[in-house]
Amino acid sequence: MAPPSATSTETQTNGSSKPSTLAPLEPGLSEKKAKVQMPKFPGPRKFEDKYEEREYLKGRLAAAFRIFAKYGFDEGVAGHITLRDPVDPSTFWVNPFGVAFGLIKKSDLIQVDHDGNVIDGGPVRLLNAAAFMIHSAIHSARPDVICAAHSHSIYGRSFCTLGRELDIITQDSCAFYNDHVLYKSFNGIVLAEAEGHAIASCLSSKKAALLQNHGLLTVGQTIEEAVFWFVSLEKCCHAQLMADAAATGRGGQTVKIGEVEAADTHKTLGVPMAGWFNAKPLFDTIEKTEGADYLHDSSTPHALSCSLTSDIFSKLFPPFNSNPNADPQIPNLSRERAIKPLALSLGSKKPSPSSPPFLTPEL
């Protein structure tokens, strides 16, 4: 039986009665005021000066790479995060090819136009061709996307071998309910312009893509949002891999969240502001643990400096030492063309719509 205080009534002058609106354990506190009030959340910084905004965002992008390094999302030289430039939105900033995520500073970032030219940035001006193909297509197709992130994280790429979308089996996965896609194609390293456009087309208006046999891709209206969606999607893939294994071992299957519940939860957890706010602890922690090192200028040049000179090229690709003009594996293939499938250097133009010309011998 409920205690009297929980069912007490107020008698009205006309003899009728209604439930009390007073909180019985808090005298003077009305039921309306007793309900939990959501606090007013902070939001992304606003700038009037676009150049000041650029410098701030480059610092956040450098921090994003430190976060990826902390989570082990790096795999050799693979992976990239891009930032649409607030001064010239037709260009974007990206990590230089071959520089470790955990060492990137904002002064290392390179600015790239949509023709694939490196027009500004740090001492290492190597552009990952795959990064250009994927990200330039996304930034062109999605004006709302400020940041796009992709790497070969272990659980993401493992899940992407299954050829299926994420099951909505946890509260966190509701953020991706009807908000992620499966790109059902793998054609090797993305060196063709058409492949980048196909990925952007498949992504459509969603926040994330599972690139089959490849890895995860997330986008956002802020750097923080894109980074958090990536971290969260990676964990959702991890959770489902474990849950599916456990369920199969017991001869059963996972319990799926209902459509209505998933949709309602997405309205809270899957919106851009939720992505930004959820990333705040990640960025705060990096700032504390890294001591803002990522904001400082590089005091010493990285091993890969400037453009690909003959000496640097020889160090990177020893097989070319014996013949300075040809790849021994592909007769008559010039040094310039041999490197293009791996990187586009300063002043280079974007590749043609198909990748084979990069590997065809000089005529």
Side-chain angles (χ1 to χ4, degrees):
M1 181 177 179
S5 61
T7 58
S8 61
T9 60
E10 289 181 336
T11 302
Q12 305 300 308
T13 55
N14 60 5
S16 63
S17 63
K18 66 177 183 179
S20 172
T21 59
L22 297 178
L25 300 182
E26 295 289 342
L29 180 65
S30 69
E31 181 181 14
K32 181 178 180 180
K33 290 184 177 180
K35 290 183 177 179
V36 176
Q37 300 296 315
M38 293 297 288
K40 183 178 180 180
F41 289 99
R45 284 186 58 179
K46 304 295 183 181
F47 295 86
E48 293 184 2
D49 186 330
K50 290 298 182 182
Y51 288 92
E52 182 183 354
E53 182 178 9
R54 170 194 279 174
E55 289 307 306
Y56 172 77
L57 292 179
K58 285 173 63 181
R60 299 300 272 182
L61 182 58
F65 286 109
R66 300 298 181 100
I67 292 171
F68 268 39
K70 178 182 177 181
Y71 278 94
F73 294 161
D74 47 349
E75 177 75 12
V77 298
H80 19 87
I81 311 175
T82 54
L83 161 70
R84 187 189 298 275
D85 183 55
V87 177
D88 181 1
S90 67
T91 67
F92 59 85
W93 295 85
V94 66
N95 50 308
F97 196 31
V99 178
F101 285 178
L103 297 179
I104 289 179
K105 300 181 179 184
K106 78 172 188 178
S107 59
D108 290 316
L109 301 170
I110 57 176
Q111 186 180 12
V112 183
D113 66 20
H114 279 275
D115 287 326
N117 299 309
V118 178
I119 59 177
D120 197 4
V124 181
R125 299 205 172 183
L126 294 180
L127 171 62
N128 184 330
F132 171 74
M133 292 302 179
I134 296 172
H135 291 256
S136 63
I138 291 173
H139 284 295
S140 295
R142 294 278 300 276
D144 62 308
V145 169
I146 300 301
C147 180
H150 166 68
S151 84
H152 301 173
S153 54
I154 186 64
Y155 297 109
R157 72 189 189 204
S158 297
F159 189 84
C160 286
T161 66
L162 303 179
R164 57 185 293 192
E165 293 184 10
L166 197 68
D167 286 337
I168 308 304
I169 57 174
T170 65
Q171 176 175 293
D172 301 288
S173 66
C174 290
F176 301 98
Y177 173 74
N178 283 345
D179 209 1
H180 74 290
V181 298
L182 171 64
Y183 181 67
K184 302 178 182 180
S185 177
F186 179 74
N187 297 306
I189 300 174
V190 183
L191 299 177
E193 189 176 40
E195 183 85 355
H197 286 300
I199 292 173
S201 177
C202 179
L203 178 64
S204 186
S205 61
K206 311 299 185 182
K207 69 157 68 82
L210 305 174
L211 307 181
Q212 190 165 288
N213 304 111
H214 191 171
L216 308 180
L217 171 70
T218 59
V219 300
Q221 297 177 15
T222 60
I223 296 170
E224 293 86 353
E225 182 192 352
V227 167
F228 179 74
W229 296 145
F230 193 99
V231 172
S232 183
L233 185 56
E234 168 76 359
K235 291 182 177 181
C236 286
C237 288
H238 188 182
Q240 184 168 337
L241 289 169
M242 292 193 298
D244 282 347
T248 300
R250 294 170 59 88
Q253 58 182 341
T254 57
V255 177
K256 312 303 187 292
I257 294 176
E259 300 282 335
V260 174
E261 293 78 9
D264 286 344
T265 306
H266 179 273
K267 293 176 183 177
T268 300
L269 297 183
V271 296
M273 190 60 204
W276 179 89
F277 191 65
N278 270 301
K280 185 178 181 299
L282 300 177
F283 282 81
D284 290 347
T285 300
I286 283 296
E287 183 175 355
K288 181 71 173 179
T289 58
E290 300 280 341
D293 172 74
Y294 56 89
L295 296 176
H296 302 151
D297 290 340
S298 296
S299 57
T300 56
H302 296 287
L304 298 173
S305 60
C306 301
S307 59
L308 277 181
T309 64
S310 177
D311 290 341
I312 293 177
F313 188 94
S314 297
K315 292 178 181 178
L316 288 173
F317 301 95
F320 287 85
N321 290 346
S322 58
N323 185 339
N325 296 312
D327 182 342
Q329 303 301 318
I330 309 177
N332 299 322
L333 177 64
S334 70
R335 294 154 68 94
E336 179 185 3
R337 287 200 172 196
I339 189 59
K340 278 189 176 179
L342 297 176
L344 299 173
S345 59
L346 178 62
S348 63
K349 300 297 182 180
K350 68 178 180 179
S352 60
S354 59
S355 56
F358 289 144
L359 299 175
T360 55
E362 296 280 358
L363 298 177

